[in-house]
Amino acid sequence: MSKQDQRNKIATGDGFIAALDQSGGSTPKALKLYGVEADQYSSDAEMYDMIHAMRSRIAQSPSFGGDRIVGAILFEMTMDRQIDGKPSATYLWDTKGVVPFLKVDKGLADEANSVQLMKPMPDLDTLLDRANAASIYGTKMRSVINAANEVGIAAVVAQQFEVGKAILAKGLMPIIEPEVTITISDKAAAEDILLTEITKQLDALPEGQEVMLKLTLPETANHYKPLVDHSKVLKVVALSGGYSRDEANNRLSQNTGMIASFSRALTEGLSAPQSDAEFDGTLNDTITSIHAASVAG
């Protein structure tokens, strides 16, 4: 099946995107929530083996499939490994009917103007070539907004689209993720600025180009509806951003056209000691609730 088939799956598929892209910094926390304590591994290699085992267990679960999940975002090491004897991206698409994406950013720079830009990515071209070779459809990259600072937010969005254009040039679909921290006092004001800046960048894209957006669930329902309807946006997905799964689902269900791209909220309740039946039952309940919220709007 072609990239056009994958695009159609994202555009019209009935489901959400699973974020399975915990990186080096967030892996110990993700493992702890999964019931794996730090004293159970003695090196980074063992830690990454354990997080890959968790991701593989999720992907191989009978509940995880293209009927309710349209895409999955992978960490670089996951792309380079196998699931059930197949390269991870190939397994997701060929076996599960789930479109594979790759996290490409290298983390956050120090805060300036109340935002954190992405760190430089000097090896991006090489990584994108590897992604294409591995049958990855698109990419994801994250910045963080910590206040309604117009200068900072404009810089975040400009950087995201600059890198996004390099990704488009390689034939991949960029997911642009300027995360607004959910605990800030001026979150709604930051979202107003963000909507303006993203719209400017979208309007400036050449005809025929499109991107995806991954945004924090807004304070006002349907605040981002103009982006959902924009001709240069394939899909707007929502991050859970620290909200509980119930809160994230409730907020998502009020936003027409947005679908989930949850990470921690997806793995909430899963643990290594669970039997396969317990694990799959918990995951099925989770997927059912996230899927319902994604199609509710």
Side-chain angles (χ1 to χ4, degrees):
M1 298 179 82
S2 67
K3 284 198 172 184
Q4 184 62 41
D5 294 318
Q6 293 178 322
R7 182 199 175 278
N8 292 342
K9 178 84 174 188
I10 298 299
T12 64
D14 179 16
F16 65 95
I17 292 177
L20 303 175
D21 60 329
Q22 298 91 349
S23 58
S26 57
T27 295
K29 182 178 180 181
L31 283 173
K32 184 177 178 65
L33 291 171
Y34 185 55
V36 177
E37 300 292 338
D39 60 5
Q40 293 178 252
Y41 49 89
S42 57
S43 66
D44 283 353
E46 288 185 5
M47 178 183 74
Y48 286 124
D49 285 345
M50 288 182 169
I51 198 70
H52 184 69
M54 181 189 84
R55 292 166 175 153
S56 297
R57 192 180 188 191
I58 291 170
Q60 292 179 86
S61 169
S63 296
F64 189 99
D67 55 335
R68 295 181 295 179
I69 298 170
V70 295
I73 304 170
L74 306 178
F75 181 49
E76 184 178 344
M77 285 187 179
T78 309
M79 177 185 73
D80 293 336
R81 297 186 182 219
Q82 294 190 340
I83 298 174
D84 198 26
K86 295 181 180 180
S88 295
T90 301
Y91 175 83
L92 284 172
W93 182 241
D94 288 355
T95 303
K96 292 288 189 166
V98 173
V99 179
F101 293 81
L102 175 69
K103 168 187 160 67
V104 295
D105 69 82
K106 300 302 180 184
L108 300 169
D110 293 338
E111 184 172 314
N113 293 316
S114 303
V115 303
Q116 289 178 273
L117 298 173
M118 296 180 289
K119 288 181 178 177
M121 292 176 270
D123 300 322
L124 179 63
D125 277 358
T126 300
L127 179 58
L128 297 178
D129 288 340
R130 287 174 50 216
N132 271 317
S135 301
I136 294 288
Y137 172 70
T139 66
K140 191 214 78 163
M141 51 195 173
R142 171 176 171 263
S143 313
V144 172
I145 295 166
N146 292 317
N149 183 307
E150 292 186 2
V151 172
I153 293 174
V156 158
V157 176
Q159 184 194 40
Q160 283 274 345
F161 274 83
E162 179 184 4
V163 178
K165 290 170 186 175
I167 292 164
L168 286 167
K170 290 285 188 175
L172 293 159
M173 170 60 64
I175 300 178
I176 286 168
E177 182 185 7
E179 176 179 349
V180 178
T181 303
I182 65 171
T183 54
I184 60 175
S185 60
D186 53 358
K187 181 169 177 281
E191 290 164 350
D192 288 341
I193 299 167
L194 182 59
L195 175 59
T196 298
E197 292 300 324
I198 291 176
T199 302
K200 287 179 186 176
Q201 292 287 343
L202 289 172
D203 290 345
L205 281 178
E207 289 300 321
Q209 288 192 349
E210 58 184 1
V211 301
M212 293 173 63
L213 302 169
K214 183 168 179 176
L215 304 174
T216 305
L217 288 159
E219 291 303 288
T220 302
N222 287 320
H223 179 71
Y224 294 123
K225 188 63 165 56
L227 303 180
V228 172
D229 296 335
H230 200 288
S231 63
K232 295 172 186 174
V233 175
L234 174 60
K235 186 67 74 172
V236 178
V237 305
L239 58 105
S240 50
Y243 292 122
S244 69
R245 184 167 63 237
D246 287 346
E247 175 68 9
N249 283 340
N250 180 56
R251 285 176 175 254
L252 177 59
S253 67
Q254 299 171 43
N255 286 273
T256 304
M258 288 183 77
I259 65 171
S261 177
F262 294 168
S263 175
R264 182 204 45 75
L266 175 66
T267 58
E268 186 180 310
L270 300 177
S271 66
Q274 288 171 325
S275 69
D276 287 346
E278 291 170 332
F279 183 93
D280 183 59
T282 300
L283 183 60
N284 181 61
D285 289 345
T286 296
I287 290 172
T288 297
S289 71
I290 297 173
H291 175 265
S294 295
V295 301

